[in-house]
Amino acid sequence: MVLCIVTSSKLKPVLFICLGGLLTSCAQGPVKPPLTENLPVTSAATPQPQQLSAREMYQLAGNYQQVSQQEHLIKTARQALIDEDYLLALAITENLKHSNHKPIVQQNTLLLLKAYLATNQQQSLSLLLENTDTENVPVADKAEFLWLISQQHSNQLRYLAACRTLLQLEQQQDALLLYPQYPDLLWQNLSALSDSQLETLATDASYNTAAWLSLAQLSRRHIGQPEALQQAFADWQRRYPTLPALEHLPAGVQQLIHLKPYQPQRVAVVLPLSGQFRPHAQALQYGILAAATNQGIANLVFIDSQQSAVEIQQQISQAQAEFVIGPLLKEQVDSISQLTDWNWPTLFLNNKDSNYDAKPEHFYFALSMDDEAAQMAQLFSQKNYQRPVVISAASNVSLRMQQRFTAQWQQLGNTAVEQHQFSSKEELENLISRLLETDRSRERVTQISNLMPQKLEADPHSRLDIDAIYLIADPVQTQLFKPFIDVSVSETAPRLPVYASSRSHSTGLDTTDQRDLNGLTFTEMPWMLGERSSSVLRQQYQQLFPEQDEALQRLFAMGYDAYQLIGSLRQQQQLPATVFSGLTGQLRLNNNGSIVRQLSWASYRNNRLRPLQEP
């Protein structure tokens, strides 16, 4: 018997097995009884031998044939996992997954999952999860199988998939006793979902699922309002009396209820109310006023940031403000955030200077395009794309996003990504021809045609090794790019998925424009997609500002979220899993005091823009 292990490149071992004369017949042939003449014989009076190691059990596999041999190898794989002999476990389970005997394949599923996890076989793991129906997992293995894959989904930030799996796990007998960490993991993933994803889970939900979803919804609806939150929780317990009492709920829920939030009665808002940035300041101002009107709590004092820091401080003191929103401009944020005598908790409306450590009550909120690029890299990694290509316009913002995508992609353990830039329509067309190598294909068709007397009819072929494109461009450039890609990919090649950022999206597209973009998937803030959770506010906004451009619409949403965030910042600081569901995205606070956005997904399908649920 020979066990051959071959490792691949790309950091993760990929194992192949060639077991001389042993496993080559595992997946075929009739069932025969095991050969027993060489097996040790034990009697009731004979002491049982000590448990054999996996390697010793593997050596004995030659004494069995066909299905009996496979059953013995199942036991060997289990022992290999106990022995932490993960390469042997992987080699055996990889071979047994091709068995023609269905019970062997089913018993092998959990073992194969464990072997993939232990050896970090991410691509194989994703394929296993994609192709495995949990109904085919043996009942004895199902709870552990669901628990392991829910942890995997959670680690990969696939919050919706993790929630689906965990809610399925709860239905297994004794699952909560076996996995006491279950409530905390479920709450961590539920907290990260968007409102629309919670609504997706609510369809045909069981009693327990409906209870958890209701708890998640009320916790975000009343975040920053402890009295309202406690009342809502009391109502929740009356509606779902069989669910755990407060002291047995996840620690995050208990802290959320008891932690005192910021509740300022007077808020100073520091914006550039004069000068060239006045329109931007007004859009933010309208958003802040709309949020304050809806909450009806704090008094607002607006202060022009186009003056010295000393003058700004004096006006904040005179206003007796308890919290500050702003400034907006980067240089003002950098200078004010470093003042030693700045004594107010503050939500700055720009990025933090990376050269300085965050202060305890300084928070930073910006509509950073870097968040979108990082989110796209995570999606590509979750979808197991191996050879994506990033194409960006030659603008500063687009190039920075390209760099952020590349950095995140490599941080996730992937090799350097192929990158291209363009600065004109002509460059873009030439770039696509070179990228897909359709220009070379046309040249070959022409050369062959010149050598043949009869006319040759042949379509050029495109590259097959590219599995996804991330385009970072404005709406006009995107409308040029997508149709050209569609006609450049040969008809015999698989569909090439194209993704984009919010820079590619415009609400002013007509039906023809949307038809040209069919198949394009992109990230966007919920406000610009008109998601149902903000539909009433959207209608009110459009009545007041029917012709406001999209950049100012985004700033309105930012201002609205900035005011709403005040009540949740302390909770988010103490409970990193806490997510605020805003107009600009799912908002989390990282350990540097910066708000990180998770945007919604949308796609053009059948000439219409449609919301999309991605991991």
Side-chain angles (χ1 to χ4, degrees):
M1 292 176 290
V2 180
L3 179 65
C4 301
I5 299 174
V6 182
T7 57
S8 76
S9 58
K10 206 187 174 192
L11 305 178
K12 305 163 189 163
V14 179
L15 305 173
F16 300 91
I17 185 169
C18 49
L19 304 175
L22 175 58
L23 295 182
T24 53
S25 61
C26 278
Q28 57 191 353
V31 178
K32 296 181 181 179
L35 299 177
T36 60
E37 61 269 24
N38 296 324
L39 294 180
V41 178
T42 60
S43 66
T46 305
Q48 292 295 319
Q50 189 176 8
Q51 173 64 49
L52 298 176
S53 71
R55 292 281 168 169
E56 291 169 329
M57 293 176 67
Y58 173 72
Q59 293 298 322
L60 291 175
N63 295 320
Y64 296 83
Q65 292 182 358
Q66 305 304 327
V67 174
S68 295
Q69 186 182 82
Q70 295 178 40
E71 290 172 344
H72 180 79
L73 288 169
I74 287 285
K75 296 176 183 177
T76 304
R78 288 198 185 102
Q79 188 61 42
L81 291 166
I82 294 171
D83 295 348
E84 299 184 1
D85 193 345
Y86 299 127
L87 295 183
L88 177 61
L90 179 59
I92 293 172
T93 54
E94 271 286 353
N95 202 280
L96 289 177
K97 75 180 183 181
H98 301 295
S99 171
N100 289 334
H101 194 51
K102 186 176 180 181
I104 292 294
V105 175
Q106 292 176 333
Q107 293 176 60
N108 188 57
T109 304
L110 176 60
L111 303 176
L112 186 61
L113 172 65
K114 288 182 174 181
Y116 284 159
L117 288 169
T119 54
N120 198 29
Q121 302 293 317
Q122 293 299 325
Q123 184 175 5
S124 298
L125 182 59
S126 295
L127 290 173
L128 174 66
L129 300 186
E130 183 179 334
N131 298 320
T132 300
D133 183 351
T134 54
E135 293 303 314
N136 294 326
V137 178
V139 174
D141 295 341
K142 189 172 293 186
E144 187 175 7
F145 184 85
L146 291 170
W147 175 249
L148 290 175
I149 62 177
S150 64
Q151 288 181 307
Q152 173 69 8
H153 287 323
S154 184
N155 291 338
Q156 290 190 319
L157 309 183
R158 300 185 65 182
Y159 305 116
L160 183 59
C163 288
R164 291 187 191 280
T165 308
L166 286 164
L167 292 169
Q168 189 179 356
L169 170 63
E170 191 177 31
Q171 301 170 22
Q172 304 302 308
Q173 187 174 6
D174 296 330
L176 299 185
L177 294 176
L178 290 170
Y179 306 106
Q181 317 95 313
Y182 170 88
D184 288 292
L185 187 62
L186 176 60
W187 184 253
Q188 174 186 327
N189 284 279
L190 281 175
S191 299
L193 296 183
S194 66
D195 291 341
S196 60
Q197 287 174 320
L198 287 174
E199 291 173 5
T200 298
L201 289 176
T203 305
D204 299 324
S206 67
Y207 174 87
N208 279 12
T209 297
W212 282 111
L213 297 178
S214 175
L215 185 61
Q217 289 166 334
L218 70 87
S219 70
R220 63 182 57 180
R221 188 180 305 126
H222 301 294
I223 191 170
Q225 305 169 43
E227 294 83 7
L229 187 58
Q230 288 181 357
Q231 181 59 51
F233 178 75
D235 294 339
W236 178 84
Q237 287 206 305
R238 282 192 289 271
R239 281 185 290 131
Y240 300 101
T242 61
L243 268 288
L246 175 59
E247 59 269 19
H248 300 299
L249 283 172
V253 178
Q254 299 178 47
Q255 290 177 275
L256 197 62
I257 291 173
H258 294 129
L259 192 63
K260 185 177 180 180
Y262 289 117
Q263 293 179 298
Q265 295 304 304
R266 295 181 71 82
V267 176
V269 182
V270 183
L271 294 172
L273 300 175
S274 59
Q276 61 176 324
F277 294 104
R278 185 169 180 270
H280 305 81
Q282 283 184 326
L284 285 160
Q285 189 176 24
Y286 296 149
I288 292 169
L289 285 167
T293 300
N294 283 349
Q295 283 195 4
I297 299 176
N299 294 316
L300 297 174
V301 179
F302 290 91
I303 297 171
D304 192 353
S305 65
Q306 304 293 65
Q307 52 188 323
S308 71
V310 172
E311 292 173 308
I312 293 173
Q313 284 178 290
Q314 289 174 347
Q315 293 181 37
I316 294 175
S317 295
Q318 290 170 2
Q320 298 181 333
E322 301 164 74
F323 195 97
V324 177
I325 297 176
L328 171 67
L329 304 182
K330 186 68 168 66
E331 61 272 17
Q332 294 173 346
V333 169
D334 291 343
S335 62
I336 287 178
S337 63
Q338 297 311 309
L339 293 175
T340 57
D341 57 345
W342 186 267
N343 300 317
W344 301 276
T346 304
L347 178 61
F348 296 100
L349 300 179
N350 213 311
N351 292 313
K352 175 185 168 297
D353 189 330
S354 58
N355 295 318
Y356 297 97
D357 293 332
K359 296 181 179 179
E361 293 194 304
H362 285 190
F363 309 96
Y364 300 83
F365 179 33
L367 300 184
S368 173
M369 303 301 291
D370 288 0
D371 291 343
E372 294 194 52
Q375 182 176 339
M376 191 64 72
Q378 290 170 351
L379 178 74
F380 278 25
S381 186
Q382 290 164 359
K383 287 182 172 291
N384 291 307
Y385 291 139
Q386 302 298 306
R387 291 291 304 275
V389 173
V390 185
I391 300 175
S392 73
S395 66
N396 291 335
V397 174
S398 296
L399 292 175
R400 192 176 72 244
M401 289 182 67
Q402 186 180 60
Q403 292 169 357
R404 182 70 181 92
F405 176 95
T406 301
Q408 182 69 24
W409 176 253
Q410 292 182 274
Q411 187 177 334
L412 292 168
N414 301 290
T415 55
V417 71
E418 186 175 338
Q419 305 176 56
H420 300 278
Q421 298 85 34
F422 67 91
S423 56
S424 66
K425 176 183 177 183
E426 291 72 23
E427 280 188 23
L428 180 59
E429 292 179 354
N430 292 332
L431 169 60
I432 295 172
S433 294
R434 293 197 315 274
L435 172 66
L436 300 178
E437 296 182 356
T438 51
D439 52 349
R440 297 183 186 179
S441 180
R442 291 190 184 94
E443 289 176 6
R444 288 193 293 271
V445 170
T446 301
Q447 291 170 356
I448 294 172
S449 297
N450 292 336
L451 296 174
M452 300 181 66
Q454 67 271 27
K455 183 179 179 182
L456 176 66
E457 293 186 4
D459 294 324
H461 288 269
S462 55
R463 280 175 65 181
L464 298 178
D465 60 329
I466 298 173
D467 49 14
I469 291 178
Y470 182 30
L471 174 68
I472 308 172
D474 65 30
V476 174
Q477 293 165 335
T478 303
Q479 290 171 55
L480 291 172
F481 178 89
K482 183 61 172 64
F484 199 57
I485 279 285
D486 291 341
V487 300
S488 298
V489 175
S490 55
E491 295 182 2
T492 57
R495 186 184 69 86
L496 185 58
V498 180
Y499 297 83
S501 71
S502 62
R503 291 178 61 78
S504 291
H505 176 229
S506 172
T507 58
L509 299 180
D510 59 24
T511 304
T512 302
D513 296 330
Q514 293 183 351
R515 181 190 62 206
D516 291 341
L517 295 176
N518 275 334
L520 181 73
T521 299
F522 60 95
T523 46
E524 181 59 284
M525 64 171 63
W527 175 247
M528 300 304 292
L529 295 175
E531 291 189 4
R532 189 164 58 183
S533 58
S534 62
S535 58
V536 174
L537 179 63
R538 191 68 167 150
Q539 292 174 0
Q540 295 171 349
Y541 175 85
Q542 288 175 334
Q543 290 176 355
L544 293 172
F545 310 105
E547 298 181 0
Q548 194 169 55
D549 70 38
E550 292 182 10
L552 298 183
Q553 291 182 44
R554 297 176 192 276
L555 289 173
F556 173 90
M558 181 185 182
Y560 193 95
D561 281 356
Y563 185 85
Q564 296 276 76
L565 273 168
I566 294 174
S568 72
L569 287 172
R570 187 165 278 160
Q571 276 84 347
Q572 291 183 286
Q573 191 175 47
Q574 298 296 321
L575 306 167
T578 303
V579 176
F580 178 84
S581 185
L583 301 183
T584 58
Q586 299 297 106
L587 309 179
R588 296 177 183 81
L589 188 67
N590 68 15
N591 56 10
N592 287 324
S594 296
I595 299 293
V596 179
R597 295 188 303 145
Q598 185 86 4
L599 282 81
S600 297
W601 296 95
S603 181
Y604 289 101
R605 296 283 188 273
N606 300 322
N607 308 336
R608 291 182 60 189
L609 178 62
R610 301 177 185 275
L612 191 66
Q613 297 292 355
E614 287 287 5

